[in-house]
């Protein structure tokens, strides 16, 4: 039996805060509703997002807008093969005047960090960034420096150009809460972009009220309070276990298509995202539809397809759909 553990006043407040973020986005980003949903949900969950698309689809604009919407700091890091870990986390600089070392924090110390083309950086640099994402801190010369709170990383990768890139291993991709794949805007949206550039709306000052960082922290705490019934928890576990071939039902031919299913981190992410989706919808409890809402974004980077699936052009999204269709809904 479902029961709301978030008071009605808090649910109303959470909805109003999300609407304020949406209002800021609408002034800077045309279309891209799914991207907006993913960024807001990831922010509410305290997670990170991996964005995959060709250039020019407003990834940087979206990241900057998110930071502006929550009154947070923003840094963009352009990944290159010669980028060093110290270029990201920071280093110590010797001051000849005082004959002492001073710590210079790197660009990862911001509320919203855009890691552009993460697959162009070396494995060592990727590891340093992912450590900051996981531990929420960096270590410089043995001294620990926590990153700001809230802290969110948006990493992008270009699926077209692969020359000189270092593909993220599956174990590292699993640390991203969501992976969003962006597509081109439709014709009407692209015309709207041109009109906004022509009349200067893309550079005007934001009109809507921004959130404070304390309000973001409140949102994250409230997501934790959203009630998840034991039956829903079991449903989440059954879904993820089915991707590994160990669920309550067997999907015909799945073992031929999937080399590795989602990890327990997938179960955690699926539940956390469902809590955020429920809160955005004004509910204090999770229903199965909340689990379904962002299933592709949660699981597409956690399921490793087999060679047969790649050769037969079977998409990860179709595999996820077959799993959700097979597992009984509570």
């Amino acid at each position: 039996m479902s029961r709301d553990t978030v008071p009605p006043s808090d649910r109303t407040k959470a909805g109003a805060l999300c609407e304020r973020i949406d209002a800021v986005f609408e002034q800077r980003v045309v279309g891209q509703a799914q991207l907006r949903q993913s960024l807001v949900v990831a922010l509410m969950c305290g997670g990170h997002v991996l964005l995959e698309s060709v250039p020019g689809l407003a990834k940087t604009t979206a990241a900057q807008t998110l930071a502006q919407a929550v009154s947070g700091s923003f840094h963009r890091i352009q990944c290159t093969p010669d980028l060093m870990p110290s270029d990201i986390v920071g280093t110590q600089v010797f001051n000849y005047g005082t004959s002492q070392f001073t710590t210079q924090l790197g660009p990862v110390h911001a509320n919203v960090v855009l890691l552009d083309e993460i697959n162009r950086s070396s494995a060592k640099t990727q590891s340093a960034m992912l450590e900051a994402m996981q531990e929420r801190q960096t270590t410089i010369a043995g001294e620990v420096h926590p990153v700001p709170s809230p802290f969110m990383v948006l990493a992008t990768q270009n699926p077209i150009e692969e020359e000189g890139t270092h593909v993220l291993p599956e174990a590292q991709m699993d640390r991203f809460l969501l992976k969003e794949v962006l597509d081109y805007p439709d014709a009407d949206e692209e015309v709207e972009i041109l009109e906004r550039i022509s009349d200067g709306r893309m550079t005007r000052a934001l009109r809507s009220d921004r959130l404070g960082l304390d309000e973001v922290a409140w949102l994250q705490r409230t997501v934790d309070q959203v009630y998840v019934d034991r039956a829903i928890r079991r449903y989440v576990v059954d879904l993820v276990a089915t991707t590994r071939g160990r669920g309550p039902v067997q999907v015909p031919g799945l073992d031929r298509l999937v080399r590795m299913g989602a990890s327990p981190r997938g179960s955690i992410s699926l539940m956390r995202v469902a809590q955020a989706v429920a809160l955005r919808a004004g509910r204090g409890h999770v229903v199965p539809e909340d689990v379904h809402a962002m299933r592709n974004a949660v699981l597409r980077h956690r399921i490793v397809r087999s060679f047969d699936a790649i050769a037969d052009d079977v998409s990860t999204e179709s595999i996820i759909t077959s799993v959700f269709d097979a597992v009984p809904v509570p």
Side-chain angles (χ1 to χ4, degrees):
M1 182 176 65
S2 298
R3 57 186 178 91
D4 286 352
T5 52
V6 180
S9 60
D10 285 354
R11 298 201 301 270
T12 302
K13 178 181 176 181
L17 293 178
C18 291
E19 287 177 1
R20 284 164 59 187
I21 298 176
D22 290 341
V24 174
F25 259 91
E26 289 174 358
Q27 296 176 56
R28 287 285 188 267
V29 182
V30 177
Q32 301 291 9
Q34 191 59 46
L35 172 61
R36 182 194 312 173
Q37 167 91 334
S38 293
L39 295 185
V40 175
V41 166
L43 179 71
M44 295 171 69
C45 295
H48 310 290
V49 182
L50 180 63
L51 302 176
E52 183 175 292
S53 78
V54 297
L57 296 188
K59 298 184 293 295
T60 301
T61 301
Q64 288 177 321
T65 303
L66 180 66
Q68 291 175 323
V70 300
S71 305
S73 55
F74 171 77
H75 284 155
R76 176 182 177 273
I77 304 172
Q78 178 62 56
C79 293
T80 57
D82 60 348
L83 188 72
M84 299 296 293
S86 59
D87 297 328
I88 290 178
V89 301
T91 187
Q92 283 200 318
V93 179
F94 184 73
N95 188 324
Y96 287 95
T98 61
S99 298
Q100 292 180 337
F101 283 96
T102 57
T103 300
Q104 181 176 328
L105 297 179
V108 73
H109 290 268
N111 296 116
V112 179
V113 179
L114 177 65
L115 199 62
D116 215 356
E117 294 189 290
I118 186 174
N119 52 339
R120 290 201 177 280
S121 60
S122 66
K124 181 181 291 188
T125 302
Q126 291 177 8
S127 176
M129 188 67 203
L130 291 164
E131 181 182 1
M133 291 166 50
Q134 184 69 21
E135 306 298 332
R136 308 279 168 156
Q137 64 182 32
T138 61
T139 304
I140 304 172
E143 186 177 352
V144 174
H145 299 273
V147 297
S149 180
F151 175 64
M152 181 177 175
V153 172
L154 282 70
T156 74
Q157 58 182 12
N158 185 343
I160 306 302
E161 298 181 49
E162 297 184 356
E163 184 177 353
T165 62
H166 301 265
V167 179
L168 278 175
E170 286 82 1
Q172 294 183 5
M173 292 181 67
D174 196 33
R175 298 187 184 278
F176 288 93
L177 178 72
L178 303 171
K179 178 184 177 183
E180 199 59 65
V181 179
L182 307 183
D183 201 358
Y184 291 109
D186 60 33
D188 291 338
E189 291 173 343
E190 199 157 354
V191 169
E192 175 68 15
I193 293 171
L194 299 182
E195 290 179 348
R196 290 192 182 191
I197 292 175
S198 297
D199 61 22
R201 277 181 287 169
M202 298 296 282
T203 55
R204 289 176 188 167
L206 295 171
R207 299 184 307 274
S208 302
D209 292 335
R210 307 181 192 186
L211 274 64
L213 294 180
D214 56 334
E215 292 177 306
V216 176
W218 180 88
L219 262 180
Q220 294 177 344
R221 292 194 301 269
T222 307
V223 168
D224 293 334
Q225 299 171 17
V226 174
Y227 176 71
V228 185
D229 191 80
R230 183 174 178 83
I232 298 293
R233 297 177 194 265
R234 183 70 193 193
Y235 179 52
V236 168
V237 171
D238 288 345
L239 288 167
V240 174
T242 301
T243 68
R244 310 174 198 144
R246 301 178 182 177
V249 296
Q250 295 297 316
V251 179
L254 189 68
D255 56 340
R256 189 182 69 85
L257 301 175
V258 176
R259 180 161 60 89
M260 185 180 72
S263 72
R265 194 180 280 123
S267 301
I268 297 170
S269 299
L270 203 58
M271 183 186 72
R272 289 282 293 161
V273 168
Q275 288 176 292
V277 170
L279 188 60
R280 273 178 64 86
R283 279 181 277 99
H285 65 277
V286 172
V287 297
E289 288 74 16
D290 300 325
V291 179
H292 297 184
M294 301 185 67
R295 59 189 185 184
N296 288 335
V298 174
L299 296 175
R300 63 162 52 101
H301 57 301
R302 307 180 195 274
I303 296 175
V304 182
R305 293 179 297 165
S306 67
F307 175 79
D308 288 342
I310 296 173
D312 294 342
D313 198 24
V314 179
S315 67
T316 307
E317 290 79 5
S318 66
I319 294 173
I320 295 171
T321 298
S322 65
V323 168
F324 274 73
D325 288 344
V327 177
V329 179

